[in-house]
């Protein structure tokens, strides 16, 4: 591939040219252009499967190769998995280049929320937030809100805790503090009550010396707005900034990046066609706004797709072109044309489940690996019929909707000891651990202890034993490695005796042992920094869907959860009006997001797509008679065929439909 200025470089600067060419190995022309453009704002419009992570990784390695201090490079994304993949790619490239970079002094590559933790641990004290603040998870936040609703003597039917939590989350993501909200013009009784709850919630967090997940974005922005010292520090902290999945940023993340990129060397990667998270505050307009924020921005579009066949891309391109709010691009495959999309209509969800189960058995019999097959659906409720069919047909599967590792009781209990050891104001953790594992301290005694009420002699004895345990853990936390501190918790608090020697609790003990393995990653950090990092990782990981890449089972998951994943075969179930697109999506903007979600579902497939729908479906307790999804009519008819298996299976004598 010829790039005009490279012959001049090769002639006049041969050693640097050789280094550049090593960095550019395996990149197409547009990817190379993105890597070499290092000064000024850059927008990379990256289609599905176009190698955006690879491009960012090579760009970071190239910057370091050209002499940029690794500590001056920042790269943020949305999941720990994406950050880890980027980190692994960068250090593999640097190793290949024989460039030694200390990970502790290297580029900051992490999630937005881990960046927020980093900023607040370093400089939060300038806004009155201690370094050892606790990070509350969703369960903690909802627990506080339930208590506040009860304390304010409110009807939980009128003020449902999940809704109140969602309102507070949305306000924080829009950078609206409790004080700001209280000053708004709307003075209806409901608004006043919401303002009181928000204020009480913030007061409770302050007493706990804790931040909730949304504070990890709000508080850094407030810090930079209010503290000139912090603002000056961070304006000069990172000279080159990279932002992945820019279409998924919310207002708080957008403003944070504006603060940190005052020098103008910011490269963002995004694709409006994959913007599917407006329901959790993401604003894809931030990507459209980029060229207005940075008028001199270079725009580079990555259109070569390395994942899907050309036929799959033609179908996806045809569908997404019906959206008006997007940046034009046309994905093209590096692979062959591929198989047509198969489309089958069944009578109801039970027949749909059985058909999909038999179809998968057929695929596996044709040497397709079960772990490379995924069944996508619009709502979690659809999984029931699929699971029943898979169990009948003995199809091994995994449903991506289970309890995450860091949300399991025994893991949360062990971590709560560490949280309380570092922050004795964390009464949520105290309530969790005071009788876990059981030691005879009930709710009444717990409330008396927390409220500093007089205790009877036998109560004092129980509390004294608990306090001795906590003191031993606190002492270890201030001087020992992370894994040693956790081992102290397991021994002194009674986890080992409660779980290890109880056959019924064997799985819980294995989870605790896994937590111990995680803790060993932080043994190199000085005390108590290792424990602080462990707690931060655990808190941030609870916000992500845990999906293991290597699995020998068929994967069942929603289209939303499938983003970022890929499979050889993708089966999309329930392509009916009212289901996909969802009946709650009524406005043009909402329907465009539903179409983007279908586009994401299509582009998860490498080789084959099968689509099913039913004439009637029992869902949410009612029988629904829906028309085929409007999105099916947007796929060119020549790209779709019926499914032979449906004709061969005696129990499926339903008509096929074509588009």
């Amino acid at each position: 591939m010829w790039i005009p200025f490279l012959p001049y470089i090769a002639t006049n600067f041969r050693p640097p040219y050789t280094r550049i060419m090593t960095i550019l190995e395996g990149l197409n022309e547009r990817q190379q252009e993105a890597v070499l453009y290092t000064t000024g704002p850059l927008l990379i419009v990256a289609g599905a499967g176009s190698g955006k992570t690879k491009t960012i990784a090579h760009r970071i390695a190239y910057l370091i190769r050209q002499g940029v201090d690794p500590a001056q490079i920042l790269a943020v994304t949305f999941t720990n998995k994406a950050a880890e993949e980027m980190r692994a790619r960068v250090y593999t490239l640097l190793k290949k280049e024989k460039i030694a970079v200390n990970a502790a002094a290297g580029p900051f590559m992490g999630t937005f929320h881990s960046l927020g933790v980093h900023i607040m641990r370093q400089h939060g004290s300038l806004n009155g937030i201690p370094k050892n603040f606790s990070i509350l998870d969703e369960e903690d936040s909802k627990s506080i809100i339930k208590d506040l609703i009860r304390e304010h003597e409110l009807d939980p039917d009128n003020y449902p805790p999940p809704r109140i939590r969602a309102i507070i989350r949305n306000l924080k993501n829009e950078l609206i503090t409790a004080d700001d909200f209280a000053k708004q013009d709307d003075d209806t009784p409901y608004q006043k009550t919401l303002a009181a709850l928000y204020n009480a919630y913030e007061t409770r967090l302050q007493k706990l010396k804790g931040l909730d997940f949304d504070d990890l974005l709000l508080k850094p922005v407030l810090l930079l707005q209010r503290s000139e010292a912090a603002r000056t520090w961070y304006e000069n902290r990172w000279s080159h900034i990279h932002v992945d999945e820019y279409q998924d940023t919310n207002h708080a993340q957008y403003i944070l990046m504006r603060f940190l990129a005052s020098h103008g060397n910011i490269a963002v990667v995004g694709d409006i066609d994959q913007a599917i998270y407006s329901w959790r505050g993401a604003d894809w307009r931030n990507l459209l706004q980029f060229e207005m924020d940075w008028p001199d921005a270079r725009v580079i579009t990555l259109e070569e797709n390395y994942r899907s066949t050309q036929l799959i891309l033609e179908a996806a391109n045809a569908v997404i072109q019906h959206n008006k709010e997007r940046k034009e691009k046309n994905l093209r495959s590096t692979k062959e044309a591929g198989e047509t999309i198969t489309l089958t209509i069944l009578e109801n969800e039970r027949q749909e489940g059985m058909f999909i189960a038999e179809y998968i058995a057929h695929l596996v019999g044709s040497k397709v690996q079960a772990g490379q097959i995924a069944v996508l659906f619009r709502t979690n409720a659809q999984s029931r019929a699929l699971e029943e069919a898979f169990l009948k047909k003995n199809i091994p599967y995994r449903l991506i909707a289970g309890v995450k590792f860091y949300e399991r009781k025994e893991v949360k209990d062990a971590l709560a000891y560490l949280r309380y050891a570092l922050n004795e104001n964390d009464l949520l953790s105290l309530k969790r651990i005071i009788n876990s594992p059981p030691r005879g301290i009930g709710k009444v005694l717990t409330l008396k202890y927390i409220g500093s009420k007089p205790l009877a002699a036998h109560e004092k004895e129980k509390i004294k034993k608990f306090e001795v345990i906590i003191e031993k853990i606190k002492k270890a936390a201030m001087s020992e490695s992370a894994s040693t501190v956790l081992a102290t918790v397991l021994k002194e608090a009674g986890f080992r005796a409660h779980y290890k020697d109880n056959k019924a609790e064997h799985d819980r003990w294995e989870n605790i042992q896994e937590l111990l393995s995680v803790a060993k990653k932080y043994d190199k950090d000085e005390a108590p920094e290792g424990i602080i990092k462990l707690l931060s990782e655990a808190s941030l990981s609870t916000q992500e869907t845990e999906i293991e890449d290597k699995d020998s089972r068929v994967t069942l998951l929603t289209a939303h959860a499938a983003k970022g994943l890929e499979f050889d075969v993708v089966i999309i179930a329930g392509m009916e009006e009212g289901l996909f697109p969802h009946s709650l999506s009524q406005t043009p903007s909402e329907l465009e997001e539903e179409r983007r979600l279908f586009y994401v579902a299509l582009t998860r497939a490498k080789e084959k797509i099968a689509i099913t729908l039913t004439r009637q479906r029992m869902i949410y307790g009612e029988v629904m008679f829906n028309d085929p999804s409007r999105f099916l009519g947007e796929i060119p008819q020549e790209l779709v065929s019926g499914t032979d298996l449906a004709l061969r299976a005696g129990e499926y004598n339903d008509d096929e439909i074509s588009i």
Side-chain angles (χ1 to χ4, degrees):
M1 187 173 297
W2 184 74
I3 298 177
F5 52 83
L6 284 184
Y8 173 81
I9 296 175
T11 302
N12 296 279
F13 304 98
R14 189 166 300 277
Y17 167 74
T18 303
R19 292 199 297 266
I20 291 173
M21 287 307 296
T22 304
I23 291 290
L24 298 182
E25 278 181 7
L27 301 178
N28 63 43
E29 186 175 354
R30 289 290 171 261
Q31 291 171 331
Q32 290 182 17
E33 186 181 349
V35 168
L36 295 171
Y37 186 79
T38 59
T39 303
L42 172 64
L43 169 60
I44 304 173
V45 180
S50 62
K52 63 183 179 64
T53 303
K54 181 177 183 178
T55 303
I56 298 173
H58 279 254
R59 192 173 193 275
I60 292 171
Y62 176 70
L63 287 168
I64 296 172
R65 173 76 275 179
Q66 295 304 102
V68 175
D69 183 351
Q72 287 278 303
I73 299 173
L74 170 68
V76 287
T77 186
F78 280 83
T79 67
N80 286 309
K81 179 182 177 182
E84 288 169 5
E85 181 183 352
M86 189 185 301
R87 192 177 297 112
R89 285 174 179 262
V90 168
Y91 281 100
T92 297
L93 285 168
L94 293 176
K95 184 177 180 181
K96 190 174 180 180
E97 291 286 299
K98 296 182 171 54
I99 301 174
V101 175
N102 186 328
F108 185 105
M109 293 177 278
T111 64
F112 274 98
H113 292 88
S114 66
L115 173 63
V117 170
H118 174 80
I119 291 173
M120 298 314 295
R121 297 281 190 212
Q122 296 296 315
H123 292 91
S125 59
L126 294 173
N127 260 11
I129 297 173
K131 181 176 182 178
N132 292 347
F133 62 83
S134 295
I135 302 174
L136 281 65
D137 61 20
E138 276 302 297
E139 182 184 330
D140 296 329
S141 295
K142 289 176 182 176
S143 175
I144 291 173
I145 290 170
K146 287 179 183 177
D147 289 344
L148 293 175
I149 288 172
R150 185 170 56 252
E151 292 169 13
H152 283 71
E153 299 181 344
L154 298 171
D155 184 350
D157 291 334
N158 294 331
Y159 296 89
R163 174 167 171 73
I164 301 303
R165 174 70 189 109
I167 289 172
I168 292 174
R169 178 189 301 113
N170 291 337
L171 289 170
K172 289 189 174 187
N173 287 335
E174 290 296 319
L175 303 178
I176 300 172
T177 66
D179 289 340
D180 295 334
F181 187 61
K183 294 174 185 176
Q184 292 185 354
D185 293 336
D186 189 348
D187 58 354
T188 62
Y190 189 79
Q191 180 82 356
K192 287 182 177 179
T193 302
L194 287 178
L197 287 173
Y198 189 6
N199 183 67
Y201 177 76
E202 290 299 280
T203 300
R204 187 67 55 88
L205 293 189
Q206 290 171 11
K207 287 182 179 179
L208 295 172
K209 297 194 184 310
L211 302 182
D212 67 18
F213 199 64
D214 309 299
D215 283 329
L216 301 180
L217 301 176
L218 170 65
K219 299 298 185 183
V221 173
L222 295 180
L223 173 67
L224 296 173
Q225 287 176 339
R226 298 171 179 176
S227 170
E228 184 178 351
R231 189 164 56 251
T232 301
W233 171 270
Y234 283 103
E235 283 176 349
N236 298 295
R237 174 66 182 85
W238 291 291
S239 64
H240 290 77
I241 292 176
H242 304 77
V243 186
D244 194 10
E245 305 285 12
Y246 197 66
Q247 78 281 350
D248 292 336
T249 54
N250 60 30
H251 184 61
Q253 291 160 333
Y254 167 77
I255 295 298
L256 180 59
M257 289 300 104
R258 291 283 290 168
F259 269 117
L260 299 181
S262 59
H263 44 69
N265 292 330
I266 178 171
V268 305
V269 185
D271 180 13
I272 290 176
D273 293 342
Q274 298 185 75
I276 59 174
Y277 297 123
S278 65
W279 49 275
R280 68 183 191 192
D283 188 352
W284 49 266
R285 294 173 184 83
N286 290 340
L287 194 144
L288 290 181
Q289 179 74 22
F290 188 82
E291 291 174 82
M292 290 181 270
D293 291 339
W294 309 96
D296 58 337
R298 173 80 67 88
V299 180
I300 298 172
T301 303
L302 306 183
E303 295 180 305
E304 282 191 61
N305 177 284
Y306 296 91
R307 176 189 299 153
S308 306
T309 64
Q310 184 60 34
L311 185 141
I312 290 172
L313 296 184
E314 287 177 12
N317 288 336
V319 168
I320 203 61
Q321 283 173 4
H322 286 77
N323 274 6
K324 295 179 180 178
E325 297 284 359
R326 62 188 297 263
K327 290 188 77 69
E328 188 60 37
K329 68 176 184 309
N330 194 50
L331 290 179
R332 56 186 180 274
S333 179
T334 58
K335 303 167 76 172
E336 296 179 354
E339 296 182 48
T340 56
I341 296 170
T342 54
L343 180 61
T344 309
I345 183 169
L346 289 308
E347 186 62 32
N348 53 47
E349 75 280 3
R350 295 184 303 280
Q351 284 198 11
E352 180 184 49
M354 292 298 290
F355 167 74
I356 290 174
E358 289 206 2
Y359 180 54
I360 289 172
H362 170 75
L363 290 172
V364 173
S366 302
K367 306 303 181 185
V368 177
Q369 295 181 3
Q372 282 298 317
I373 303 171
V375 183
L376 309 187
F377 36 83
R378 178 62 181 84
T379 68
N380 281 307
Q382 291 171 255
S383 72
R384 178 191 58 80
L386 293 166
E387 288 188 82
E388 288 178 0
F390 280 31
L391 290 171
K392 286 181 181 178
K393 294 295 181 180
N394 294 316
I395 304 290
Y397 71 92
R398 55 172 180 166
L399 176 65
I400 307 302
V403 178
K404 302 167 190 173
F405 177 75
Y406 287 110
E407 291 181 347
R408 291 165 185 161
K409 179 186 182 302
E410 62 279 7
V411 173
K412 290 194 69 170
D413 288 348
L415 292 172
Y417 276 93
L418 301 178
R419 281 173 53 173
Y420 187 64
L422 295 181
N423 177 12
E424 61 183 14
N425 293 285
D426 188 349
L427 297 184
L428 288 174
S429 291
L430 173 59
K431 289 178 182 178
R432 185 174 194 95
I433 66 177
I434 197 167
N435 195 46
S436 185
R439 55 178 60 91
I441 301 177
K443 290 184 178 179
V444 174
L445 178 51
T446 298
L447 292 175
K448 288 172 69 175
Y449 177 58
I450 291 175
S452 301
K453 301 290 179 64
L455 303 179
H458 71 282
E459 293 175 326
K460 288 181 180 179
E461 184 178 348
K462 291 179 181 179
I463 292 297
K464 180 63 177 177
K465 290 180 180 178
F466 172 71
E467 290 179 335
V468 168
I469 292 170
I470 295 302
E471 285 305 313
K472 288 181 179 179
I473 296 171
K474 283 182 178 180
K475 183 178 179 181
M478 293 300 111
S479 59
E480 303 289 350
S481 67
S483 64
T484 301
V485 180
L486 183 57
T488 302
V489 169
L490 302 183
K491 177 185 176 184
E492 300 296 338
F495 281 82
R496 191 181 302 275
H498 184 67
Y499 289 120
K500 185 178 181 181
D501 300 330
N502 186 342
K503 291 183 179 180
E505 302 287 4
H506 180 70
D507 288 347
R508 294 187 185 277
W509 179 248
E510 286 189 345
N511 289 333
I512 290 171
Q513 292 301 104
E514 178 63 22
L515 181 62
L516 198 56
S517 298
V518 175
K520 289 179 180 178
K521 293 195 303 183
Y522 301 101
D523 281 352
K524 61 183 181 299
D525 295 292
E526 292 185 7
E529 195 62 31
I531 289 297
I532 291 173
K533 289 183 178 180
L534 170 62
L535 291 173
S536 295
E537 175 184 322
S539 298
L540 298 176
S541 294
T542 61
Q543 306 298 320
E544 295 185 21
T545 300
E546 292 181 350
I547 301 177
E548 292 292 332
D549 289 330
K550 295 180 180 179
D551 199 293
S552 59
R553 297 167 294 173
V554 176
T555 302
L556 304 182
L557 73 172
T558 65
H560 280 101
K563 182 148 185 291
L565 304 178
E566 57 182 36
F567 303 89
D568 287 350
V569 179
V570 168
I571 302 166
I572 306 175
M575 284 305 301
E576 303 144 29
E577 282 292 307
L579 198 56
F580 204 164
H582 198 280
S583 58
L584 295 179
S585 298
Q586 297 290 333
T587 68
S589 178
E590 290 168 343
L591 286 170
E592 287 210 354
E593 179 148 333
E594 289 288 300
R595 185 176 285 107
R596 291 195 294 267
L597 184 59
F598 183 47
Y599 173 84
V600 166
L602 292 172
T603 55
R604 298 311 93 198
K606 298 179 185 178
E607 305 293 340
K608 175 68 178 173
I609 294 174
I611 296 174
T612 63
L613 62 155
T614 66
R615 290 192 178 93
Q616 62 181 25
R617 181 182 300 274
M618 173 73 76
I619 192 165
Y620 305 129
E622 296 183 7
V623 176
M624 299 166 55
F625 296 88
N626 294 327
D627 293 329
S629 169
R630 70 189 71 186
F631 300 150
L632 296 178
E634 297 169 358
I635 302 175
Q637 184 173 352
E638 65 270 16
L639 304 182
V640 182
S641 65
T643 306
D644 292 338
L645 184 64
L647 298 175
R648 291 200 306 268
E651 59 191 303
Y652 307 122
N653 52 16
D654 308 276
D655 296 332
E656 299 167 65
I657 64 171
S658 59
I659 306 168

